[in-house]
Coordinates of all heavy atoms in Angstrom, one line a residue:
Chain O
E567 N -6.6 43.7 1.0 CA -5.3 44.3 0.8 C -4.8 45.1 2.0 O -5.7 45.6 2.7 CB -5.3 45.2 -0.5 CG -5.7 44.6 -1.8 CD -4.4 44.1 -2.6 OE1 -3.2 44.4 -2.1 OE2 -4.6 43.5 -3.7
G568 N -3.5 45.2 2.2 CA -3.1 46.1 3.3 C -1.6 46.3 3.2 O -0.9 45.7 2.4
K569 N -1.1 47.2 4.1 CA 0.3 47.5 3.9 C 1.1 47.5 5.3 O 2.3 47.5 5.4 CB 0.5 48.9 3.3 CG -0.2 50.0 4.1 CD 0.1 51.4 3.4 CE -0.7 52.6 4.1 NZ -1.2 52.4 5.4
D570 N 0.3 47.5 6.4 CA 1.0 47.6 7.7 C 1.4 46.3 8.4 O 2.3 46.2 9.1 CB 0.0 48.4 8.7 CG -0.2 49.8 8.1 OD1 0.8 50.4 7.8 OD2 -1.4 50.3 8.0
M571 N 0.6 45.3 8.0 CA 1.0 43.9 8.4 C 0.2 42.9 7.7 O -0.8 43.3 7.0 CB 0.9 43.7 9.9 CG -0.5 43.6 10.5 SD -0.7 43.1 12.2 CE -0.7 41.3 12.0
S572 N 0.7 41.7 7.7 CA -0.1 40.6 7.0 C -0.6 39.6 8.0 O 0.1 39.3 9.0 CB 0.8 39.9 6.0 OG 1.4 40.8 5.1
I573 N -1.7 39.0 7.7 CA -2.2 37.8 8.4 C -2.3 36.7 7.4 O -3.0 36.9 6.3 CB -3.5 38.0 9.1 CG1 -3.5 39.2 10.1 CG2 -3.8 36.8 9.9 CD1 -4.8 39.4 10.9
I574 N -1.7 35.7 7.6 CA -1.8 34.4 6.7 C -2.7 33.5 7.4 O -2.5 33.1 8.6 CB -0.4 33.9 6.4 CG1 0.5 34.9 5.7 CG2 -0.5 32.6 5.5 CD1 1.9 34.4 5.4
T575 N -3.7 33.0 6.7 CA -4.7 32.2 7.4 C -5.4 31.4 6.4 O -5.1 31.3 5.2 CB -5.7 33.1 8.1 OG1 -6.7 32.3 8.9 CG2 -6.5 34.0 7.2
Y576 N -6.5 30.5 6.9 CA -7.3 29.8 5.9 C -8.5 29.2 6.8 O -8.5 29.3 8.0 CB -6.5 28.6 5.3 CG -6.0 27.6 6.4 CD1 -6.8 26.5 6.8 CD2 -4.7 27.7 6.9 CE1 -6.3 25.6 7.8 CE2 -4.3 26.8 7.9 CZ -5.0 25.8 8.4 OH -4.6 25.0 9.3
G577 N -9.5 28.8 6.1 CA -10.7 28.1 6.8 C -11.4 29.1 7.7 O -11.6 30.3 7.3
N578 N -11.9 28.6 8.7 CA -12.8 29.4 9.6 C -12.2 30.7 10.0 O -12.9 31.8 10.1 CB -13.2 28.6 10.9 CG -14.3 27.7 10.6 OD1 -15.3 28.0 10.1 ND2 -14.1 26.4 11.2
T579 N -10.9 30.7 10.3 CA -10.3 31.9 10.8 C -10.1 33.1 9.8 O -9.9 34.2 10.1 CB -8.9 31.6 11.5 OG1 -8.1 30.8 10.6 CG2 -9.2 30.9 12.8
T580 N -10.2 32.6 8.5 CA -10.1 33.7 7.4 C -11.2 34.8 7.7 O -10.8 36.0 7.7 CB -10.4 33.1 6.1 OG1 -9.5 32.1 5.8 CG2 -10.2 34.2 4.9
H581 N -12.4 34.4 8.1 CA -13.4 35.4 8.3 C -13.1 36.3 9.5 O -13.3 37.5 9.5 CB -14.7 34.7 8.4 CG -15.1 34.0 7.2 ND1 -15.7 34.6 6.2 CD2 -14.8 32.7 6.7 CE1 -15.8 33.7 5.1 NE2 -15.3 32.6 5.5
M582 N -12.6 35.6 10.5 CA -12.2 36.4 11.8 C -11.2 37.4 11.5 O -11.2 38.5 12.0 CB -11.7 35.4 12.9 CG -12.8 34.4 13.3 SD -12.1 33.2 14.4 CE -13.4 32.0 14.3
C583 N -10.2 37.0 10.7 CA -9.1 37.8 10.4 C -9.5 39.0 9.6 O -9.1 40.2 9.8 CB -8.0 37.1 9.6 SG -7.2 35.8 10.7
I584 N -10.5 38.8 8.6 CA -11.0 40.0 7.9 C -11.8 40.9 8.8 O -11.6 42.1 8.7 CB -11.9 39.4 6.8 CG1 -11.1 38.6 5.7 CG2 -12.6 40.5 6.1 CD1 -11.9 37.8 4.7
E585 N -12.5 40.3 9.6 CA -13.3 41.2 10.6 C -12.4 42.0 11.5 O -12.6 43.3 11.7 CB -14.2 40.3 11.5 CG -15.5 39.8 10.8 CD -16.1 38.6 11.4 OE1 -15.8 38.3 12.6 OE2 -16.9 37.9 10.7
V586 N -11.3 41.4 12.0 CA -10.4 42.1 12.9 C -9.7 43.1 12.0 O -9.5 44.3 12.5 CB -9.4 41.1 13.5 CG1 -8.2 41.9 14.1 CG2 -10.1 40.2 14.5
A587 N -9.3 42.8 10.8 CA -8.7 43.8 10.0 C -9.5 45.0 9.7 O -9.1 46.1 9.7 CB -8.3 43.1 8.6
N588 N -10.8 44.8 9.5 CA -11.7 45.9 9.3 C -11.9 46.7 10.5 O -11.9 48.0 10.5 CB -13.1 45.4 8.8 CG -13.1 44.8 7.4 OD1 -12.1 45.1 6.6 ND2 -14.0 43.9 7.1
Q589 N -11.9 46.0 11.6 CA -12.0 46.8 12.9 C -10.8 47.7 13.2 O -10.9 48.8 13.6 CB -12.2 45.7 14.0 CG -12.5 46.3 15.4 CD -12.5 45.2 16.5 OE1 -12.5 44.0 16.2 NE2 -12.4 45.7 17.8
V590 N -9.6 47.1 12.9 CA -8.4 47.8 13.1 C -8.3 49.0 12.2 O -7.9 50.0 12.6 CB -7.2 46.8 12.9 CG1 -5.8 47.6 12.9 CG2 -7.1 45.8 14.1
S591 N -8.8 48.8 11.0 CA -8.7 49.9 10.0 C -9.6 51.0 10.5 O -9.1 52.2 10.4 CB -9.3 49.3 8.6 OG -9.6 50.4 7.8
S592 N -10.7 50.7 11.0 CA -11.6 51.9 11.4 C -11.2 52.4 12.8 O -11.3 53.6 13.0 CB -13.1 51.4 11.4 OG -13.3 50.4 12.3
E593 N -10.7 51.6 13.6 CA -10.4 52.0 15.0 C -9.0 52.6 15.1 O -8.7 53.6 15.7 CB -10.5 50.9 16.0 CG -11.9 50.6 16.3 CD -12.1 49.4 17.2 OE1 -11.1 49.0 17.8 OE2 -13.2 48.9 17.3
L594 N -8.0 52.0 14.3 CA -6.5 52.4 14.5 C -6.0 53.0 13.2 O -4.9 53.5 13.1 CB -5.7 51.2 14.9 CG -6.1 50.4 16.1 CD1 -5.3 49.2 16.4 CD2 -6.1 51.4 17.4
G595 N -6.8 52.8 12.1 CA -6.3 53.4 10.9 C -5.1 52.6 10.3 O -4.4 53.1 9.4
K596 N -5.0 51.4 10.7 CA -3.9 50.6 10.1 C -4.5 49.6 9.2 O -5.7 49.0 9.4 CB -3.2 49.8 11.2 CG -2.5 50.7 12.2 CD -1.1 51.1 11.7 CE -0.4 51.8 12.8 NZ 0.8 52.5 12.3
E597 N -3.8 49.3 8.1 CA -4.4 48.3 7.0 C -3.7 47.1 7.1 O -2.4 46.9 6.9 CB -4.3 49.0 5.6 CG -5.1 50.3 5.5 CD -6.6 50.1 5.8 OE1 -7.1 49.0 5.7 OE2 -7.2 51.1 6.4
I598 N -4.4 46.0 7.3 CA -3.9 44.7 7.4 C -4.2 43.9 6.1 O -5.4 43.9 5.7 CB -4.4 43.9 8.6 CG1 -4.1 44.7 9.9 CG2 -3.9 42.5 8.6 CD1 -4.7 44.1 11.2
E599 N -3.2 43.2 5.6 CA -3.4 42.3 4.4 C -3.8 40.9 4.9 O -3.2 40.4 5.8 CB -2.2 42.3 3.6 CG -2.3 41.4 2.3 CD -1.5 41.9 1.2 OE1 -1.7 43.1 0.8 OE2 -0.6 41.2 0.7
V600 N -4.9 40.4 4.4 CA -5.3 39.1 4.8 C -5.1 38.1 3.6 O -5.8 38.3 2.5 CB -6.8 39.0 5.3 CG1 -7.2 37.6 5.6 CG2 -6.9 39.9 6.5
L601 N -4.2 37.2 3.8 CA -4.0 36.2 2.7 C -4.6 34.8 3.2 O -4.2 34.2 4.1 CB -2.5 36.0 2.5 CG -2.0 35.1 1.4 CD1 -2.3 35.7 0.0 CD2 -0.5 34.7 1.5
D602 N -5.5 34.4 2.3 CA -6.2 33.1 2.5 C -5.4 32.1 1.7 O -5.3 32.1 0.5 CB -7.6 33.2 2.0 CG -8.4 31.9 2.2 OD1 -7.8 30.9 2.6 OD2 -9.6 31.8 1.8
L603 N -4.8 31.1 2.4 CA -3.9 30.1 1.7 C -4.7 29.2 0.8 O -4.2 28.8 -0.3 CB -3.2 29.3 2.8 CG -2.1 29.9 3.6 CD1 -1.6 29.0 4.7 CD2 -0.9 30.3 2.7
R604 N -5.9 28.9 1.1 CA -6.7 28.0 0.2 C -6.1 26.6 0.1 O -6.7 25.6 0.4 CB -7.1 28.5 -1.1 CG -7.8 29.9 -1.1 CD -8.3 30.2 -2.5 NE -7.3 30.6 -3.4 CZ -7.6 31.2 -4.6 NH1 -8.9 31.4 -4.9 NH2 -6.7 31.5 -5.5
S605 N -4.8 26.5 -0.4 CA -4.2 25.2 -0.5 C -3.1 25.2 0.6 O -2.3 26.1 0.7 CB -3.3 25.2 -1.8 OG -4.1 24.8 -2.9
L606 N -3.1 24.1 1.4 CA -2.1 23.9 2.4 C -0.9 23.0 1.9 O 0.1 23.1 2.5 CB -2.7 23.3 3.7 CG -4.0 24.1 4.1 CD1 -4.6 23.4 5.4 CD2 -3.8 25.5 4.3
S607 N -1.3 22.1 1.0 CA -0.2 21.3 0.4 C -0.6 21.1 -1.0 O -1.6 20.4 -1.3 CB -0.1 20.0 1.1 OG 1.0 19.3 0.6
P608 N 0.1 21.7 -2.0 CA 1.2 22.5 -1.9 C 0.9 24.0 -1.4 O -0.3 24.4 -1.6 CB 1.8 22.6 -3.3 CG 0.5 22.5 -4.1 CD -0.4 21.6 -3.4
L609 N 1.8 24.6 -0.7 CA 1.6 26.0 -0.3 C 2.0 26.9 -1.5 O 2.8 26.6 -2.3 CB 2.6 26.2 0.9 CG 2.2 25.8 2.3 CD1 3.3 25.9 3.2 CD2 0.9 26.5 2.7
D610 N 1.5 28.2 -1.4 CA 1.8 29.1 -2.4 C 3.0 30.0 -1.9 O 2.8 31.0 -1.2 CB 0.6 30.1 -2.6 CG 0.8 31.1 -3.8 OD1 2.0 31.2 -4.2 OD2 -0.2 31.6 -4.3
H611 N 4.2 29.5 -2.2 CA 5.4 30.1 -1.7 C 5.4 31.6 -2.1 O 5.8 32.5 -1.3 CB 6.7 29.5 -2.3 CG 7.0 28.3 -1.5 ND1 8.3 28.0 -1.1 CD2 6.3 27.2 -1.2 CE1 8.4 26.8 -0.5 NE2 7.2 26.3 -0.6
E612 N 5.2 31.8 -3.4 CA 5.3 33.2 -4.0 C 4.4 34.2 -3.2 O 4.8 35.3 -2.8 CB 4.9 33.1 -5.4 CG 5.4 34.2 -6.3 CD 4.9 34.1 -7.7 OE1 4.6 33.0 -8.1 OE2 4.8 35.2 -8.3
A613 N 3.1 33.8 -3.0 CA 2.2 34.7 -2.4 C 2.6 35.0 -0.9 O 2.5 36.1 -0.4 CB 0.7 34.1 -2.4
I614 N 3.1 34.0 -0.2 CA 3.6 34.2 1.2 C 4.8 35.1 1.2 O 4.8 36.1 1.9 CB 3.9 32.8 1.8 CG1 2.7 31.9 2.0 CG2 4.7 33.0 3.1 CD1 2.9 30.4 2.3
V615 N 5.7 34.8 0.3 CA 6.9 35.7 0.3 C 6.5 37.1 -0.1 O 7.0 38.1 0.5 CB 7.9 35.1 -0.8 CG1 9.0 36.1 -1.2 CG2 8.6 33.8 -0.2
N616 N 5.6 37.3 -1.1 CA 5.3 38.6 -1.5 C 4.6 39.4 -0.4 O 4.9 40.6 -0.3 CB 4.4 38.5 -2.7 CG 5.1 38.1 -4.0 OD1 6.4 38.2 -4.0 ND2 4.4 37.7 -5.0
T617 N 3.7 38.8 0.3 CA 3.0 39.6 1.3 C 4.0 40.0 2.4 O 3.9 41.2 3.0 CB 1.8 38.9 1.8 OG1 1.0 39.8 2.6 CG2 2.1 37.7 2.8
V618 N 4.9 39.2 2.7 CA 5.9 39.6 3.7 C 6.8 40.7 3.3 O 7.1 41.6 4.0 CB 6.8 38.3 4.1 CG1 8.0 38.7 5.1 CG2 6.0 37.2 4.8
K619 N 7.2 40.7 2.0 CA 8.0 41.7 1.4 C 7.2 43.0 1.5 O 7.8 44.1 1.6 CB 8.4 41.3 0.0 CG 9.5 40.4 -0.2 CD 9.9 40.2 -1.6 CE 11.0 39.2 -1.8 NZ 11.2 38.9 -3.2
K620 N 6.0 42.9 1.3 CA 5.1 44.1 1.2 C 4.9 44.8 2.6 O 5.0 46.0 2.7 CB 3.8 43.7 0.6 CG 2.8 44.8 0.3 CD 1.6 44.3 -0.5 CE 0.4 45.2 -0.5 NZ -0.8 44.6 -1.0
T621 N 4.6 43.9 3.6 CA 4.2 44.6 4.9 C 5.3 44.4 6.0 O 5.2 45.0 7.1 CB 2.9 43.9 5.4 OG1 3.2 42.5 5.8 CG2 1.8 43.9 4.4
N622 N 6.2 43.5 5.9 CA 7.3 43.3 6.8 C 6.8 42.7 8.2 O 7.7 42.7 9.0 CB 8.1 44.6 6.9 CG 8.5 45.2 5.6 OD1 8.0 46.2 5.2 ND2 9.3 44.4 4.8
K623 N 5.6 42.5 8.4 CA 5.2 41.9 9.6 C 4.1 40.8 9.3 O 3.2 41.1 8.5 CB 4.5 43.0 10.5 CG 5.5 43.9 11.1 CD 4.8 44.9 12.0 CE 5.8 45.9 12.7 NZ 5.1 46.8 13.6
V624 N 4.3 39.7 9.9 CA 3.3 38.6 9.6 C 2.9 37.8 10.8 O 3.6 37.5 11.7 CB 3.9 37.7 8.5 CG1 5.2 37.0 9.0 CG2 2.9 36.6 8.1
L625 N 1.6 37.7 10.9 CA 0.9 36.9 11.9 C 0.3 35.7 11.2 O -0.4 35.9 10.2 CB -0.2 37.7 12.5 CG -1.2 37.0 13.5 CD1 -0.4 36.6 14.8 CD2 -2.3 38.0 13.9
I626 N 0.4 34.5 11.8 CA -0.2 33.4 11.1 C -1.3 32.9 12.0 O -1.1 32.7 13.3 CB 0.8 32.2 10.9 CG1 2.0 32.8 10.0 CG2 0.2 31.1 10.3 CD1 3.3 31.9 10.1
V627 N -2.5 32.8 11.4 CA -3.7 32.4 12.3 C -4.3 31.2 11.7 O -4.6 31.1 10.5 CB -4.7 33.5 12.3 CG1 -5.9 33.2 13.1 CG2 -4.1 34.8 12.8
H628 N -4.5 30.2 12.5 CA -5.4 29.0 12.1 C -6.1 28.4 13.2 O -5.7 28.6 14.4 CB -4.7 28.0 11.2 CG -3.4 27.5 11.8 ND1 -3.4 26.8 13.0 CD2 -2.2 27.4 11.3 CE1 -2.1 26.4 13.2 NE2 -1.4 26.8 12.2
E629 N -7.2 27.7 12.9 CA -8.0 27.1 14.0 C -7.3 26.0 14.6 O -7.5 25.7 15.8 CB -9.4 26.7 13.3 CG -10.3 26.0 14.3 CD -11.4 25.4 13.6 OE1 -11.8 25.8 12.5 OE2 -12.1 24.6 14.2

Side-chain angles (χ1 to χ4, degrees):
Chain O
E567 297 268 359
K569 58 177 179 15
D570 296 312
M571 69 172 274
S572 301
I573 305 182
I574 299 176
T575 186
Y576 62 88
N578 279 314
T579 49
T580 303
H581 298 274
M582 298 173 196
C583 294
I584 293 170
E585 284 159 17
V586 168
N588 290 340
Q589 187 186 346
V590 167
S591 167
S592 60
E593 287 175 11
L594 306 174
K596 298 279 189 192
E597 296 307 326
I598 300 175
E599 179 147 301
V600 178
L601 183 70
D602 179 357
L603 287 171
R604 302 194 288 191
S605 277
L606 308 181
S607 182
L609 280 170
D610 187 344
H611 280 230
E612 201 185 331
I614 292 169
V615 162
N616 286 345
T617 194
V618 173
K619 282 185 178 168
K620 182 173 168 192
T621 68
N622 311 111
K623 286 183 177 177
V624 60
L625 171 68
I626 303 163
V627 179
H628 52 57
E629 178 187 343

